[in-house]
Amino acid sequence: MDLARREARLRELGLGDMPDAQFDAFATQLAQAAGAPYAMVNFITGHQFFAGLHTPSPGQSGQSGPDAGPEVSRIMSRDHGYCPDVLNRRKALVLPDVYAYPRFASNEVVDLIGIRTYAGAPLIDERTDTVLGTVCFVGTDPRGKETGRDTLQLIKESRDELMRLIYQRTGGGPR
């Protein structure tokens, strides 16, 4: 079972349901590179856990108080968002405008935090061929389809960089 293998491998690597300052910094760098308000390092077990999380501060959005945008928790149901699709597909997914894809437009996060764009890639452990989770960024404004290739390249490069970081930290890299 993939879930049991993923949970076991995350435990072996010392990863999982703990916020991580290094992953938060990674998410912030990704959000800046993507020009997106949100970015996550997401380990998926019975739920999604954002070990790395970047959200806009009230000053970033130019708003404060109740209109500053919704607060994003580090825990999200496996039914929400697009990362579970990336996990199952084992391939990167880029949605320049989620409204253009009926299958994805009705996802609860569209209304919850106003997601209009998404890019995510699976974090595949080369040693065990286990998908540990995803790295992703989301935006609240649609992007043109012409940005798709650049976005795909950015999310794949980010995935590769993050896996190198994980292997450096844990010594659990490819054989």
Side-chain angles (χ1 to χ4, degrees):
M1 178 179 191
D2 286 343
L3 178 58
R5 276 187 28 212
R6 181 171 30 266
E7 288 174 336
R9 186 60 176 150
L10 285 168
R11 272 192 307 276
E12 287 172 12
L13 294 170
L15 303 172
D17 287 3
M18 294 289 294
D20 186 294
Q22 199 170 21
F23 292 153
D24 284 345
F26 187 92
T28 297
Q29 289 174 348
L30 175 57
Q32 291 169 346
Y38 302 93
M40 294 89 165
V41 174
N42 185 5
F43 297 121
I44 303 174
T45 56
H47 57 270
Q48 299 181 70
F49 183 79
F50 305 131
L53 177 64
H54 174 83
T55 61
S57 64
Q60 274 183 282
S61 64
Q63 300 174 331
S64 62
D67 296 328
E71 186 174 325
V72 175
S73 168
R74 286 193 183 264
I75 297 173
M76 183 181 283
S77 167
R78 282 191 61 151
D79 298 344
H80 297 162
Y82 310 107
C83 289
D85 283 294
V86 171
L87 183 89
N88 294 331
R89 291 166 34 116
R90 299 176 60 97
K91 295 168 89 175
L93 175 65
V94 173
L95 302 170
D97 184 354
V98 298
Y99 287 177
Y101 304 88
R103 175 175 170 223
F104 296 110
S106 64
N107 195 290
E108 191 163 323
V109 295
V110 172
D111 294 328
L112 188 65
I113 61 173
I115 289 180
R116 288 292 303 271
T117 61
Y118 171 88
L123 300 172
I124 301 175
D125 176 37
E126 293 178 33
R127 180 172 277 183
T128 63
D129 196 40
T130 302
V131 183
L132 305 174
T134 64
V135 60
C136 70
F137 65 85
V138 296
T140 54
D141 295 315
R143 296 179 183 213
K145 287 188 179 188
E146 68 279 355
T147 64
R149 274 190 209 272
D150 291 340
T151 301
L152 182 62
Q153 181 177 346
L154 173 62
I155 201 64
K156 285 181 171 182
E157 287 172 356
S158 296
R159 171 206 56 208
D160 296 345
E161 184 180 338
L162 183 56
M163 287 308 300
R164 281 191 295 274
L165 174 64
I166 289 170
Y167 291 148
Q168 283 175 346
R169 286 175 44 162
T170 63
R175 294 176 201 237

